[in-house]
Amino acid sequence: MPKRVQVIGAHSADFVWRAGGAVAKAVSLGGQAEVIALSYGERGESGELWKQPGQRVENVKKIRHAEAEAAAAHLGASFTCLDLGDYPLQIDGDRLLEIAEAIRAFAPDVLITHTATDPFNPDHPIAHGAVDRARSLAAGAGVTSAFDTIKPPQLFLFEPHQPELCSFTPTVHVDITSVWEQKLAAMGEMKAQQYLQTYYAQRGEHRGNHARRASGRSEVKYGESFMRVLPQVVGEL
């Protein structure tokens, strides 16, 4: 069945590197996808832009928005930034409710965000905590509530830059071979972080290799890996 996939990242480029293939794959199968960035990563994630003399924060945000919007278009997804600021990203009560409302409005089948641990990026764990809590607020406790609720979306964590240091164990490999060129095109839009394009192209090949070994499917060439948070409910094993 076509699925509604929502990716919420701390910064405007996070979705491209870590879940761009899964987003494009869902859309190619008839689903819908929405990308939400909590910030543009304008202060700590825009290295190439800050090399330009006289650079300003508002100009960096403008450039980052255009990059992310173009990248999302390659994948068939919409892009929105809540512009909450980065380094540090801080989520108060009002902002938490804003994230919960975004989840409630889109009502995703699948929700994807960061791991709870990342010793090298202070914003990623904050994003995880906010999205995880907002998801629970949007879905309620599984009973009739004083507010509108949605069916609980499945929660997945995308692969961090250094998974072995972030308590990340892949439990799902997604075959993104058929949409690999779309992911490459999306990554190519992120010129403020060109240094990551080679790394994540190589990671796609690595995870494709792991997916082949796990499945025996020789046709899988590229993959993305995710960690399932909630149990999968099935009628049989």
Side-chain angles (χ1 to χ4, degrees):
M1 294 291 293
K3 294 183 176 180
R4 297 175 65 81
V5 176
Q6 187 177 50
V7 184
I8 304 182
H11 313 110
S12 59
D14 289 331
F15 77 97
V16 177
W17 318 119
R18 301 174 174 93
V23 167
K25 189 68 176 287
V27 174
S28 74
L29 295 174
Q32 292 181 276
E34 178 181 74
V35 173
I36 296 177
L38 301 183
S39 80
Y40 286 111
E42 65 274 8
R43 287 161 49 85
E45 302 269 306
S46 306
E48 294 300 318
L49 298 178
W50 285 109
K51 294 178 181 179
Q52 301 173 16
Q55 187 62 271
R56 296 177 296 107
V57 166
E58 289 307 315
N59 187 54
V60 171
K61 287 183 180 181
K62 181 179 178 180
I63 294 171
R64 293 281 282 182
H65 186 94
E67 289 182 351
E69 199 167 52
H74 284 296
L75 308 175
S78 63
F79 171 78
T80 301
C81 183
L82 301 186
D83 195 12
L84 305 183
D86 72 315
Y87 285 79
L89 172 66
Q90 300 186 78
I91 308 295
D92 61 18
D94 289 341
R95 289 170 170 179
L96 177 65
L97 292 177
E98 186 177 358
I99 299 167
E101 181 54 37
I103 296 172
R104 186 180 293 114
F106 187 73
D109 300 300
V110 172
L111 178 60
I112 308 172
T113 192
H114 295 273
T115 53
T117 301
D118 191 331
F120 294 109
N121 194 303
D123 291 347
H124 291 173
I126 298 300
H128 166 88
V131 173
D132 186 36
R133 189 176 181 191
R135 174 198 171 280
S136 296
L137 292 172
V143 298
T144 302
S145 304
F147 48 89
D148 292 335
T149 59
I150 60 172
K151 177 183 176 182
Q154 285 298 305
L155 180 60
F156 292 87
L157 310 182
F158 47 48
E159 183 168 7
H161 192 77
Q162 296 191 47
E164 68 279 7
L165 299 179
C166 299
S167 301
F168 177 85
T169 300
T171 57
V172 178
H173 295 307
V174 178
D175 174 14
I176 62 170
T177 306
S178 63
V179 294
W180 180 244
E181 293 302 319
Q182 289 174 250
K183 177 165 182 173
L184 288 179
M187 291 196 298
E189 298 288 353
M190 295 299 176
K191 297 177 177 58
Q193 291 177 284
Q194 289 181 343
Y195 53 91
L196 289 177
Q197 294 177 22
T198 299
Y199 178 92
Y200 280 101
Q202 293 172 343
R203 177 56 63 178
E205 294 181 5
H206 295 160
R207 289 310 191 184
N209 175 277
H210 298 162
R212 285 196 302 276
R213 292 175 62 86
S215 67
R217 293 172 50 193
S218 61
E219 72 274 14
V220 180
K221 292 182 170 53
Y222 303 101
E224 284 177 345
S225 298
F226 300 86
M227 184 174 174
R228 179 187 288 275
V229 175
L230 301 172
Q232 184 179 17
V233 180
V234 298
E236 60 180 344
L237 291 179

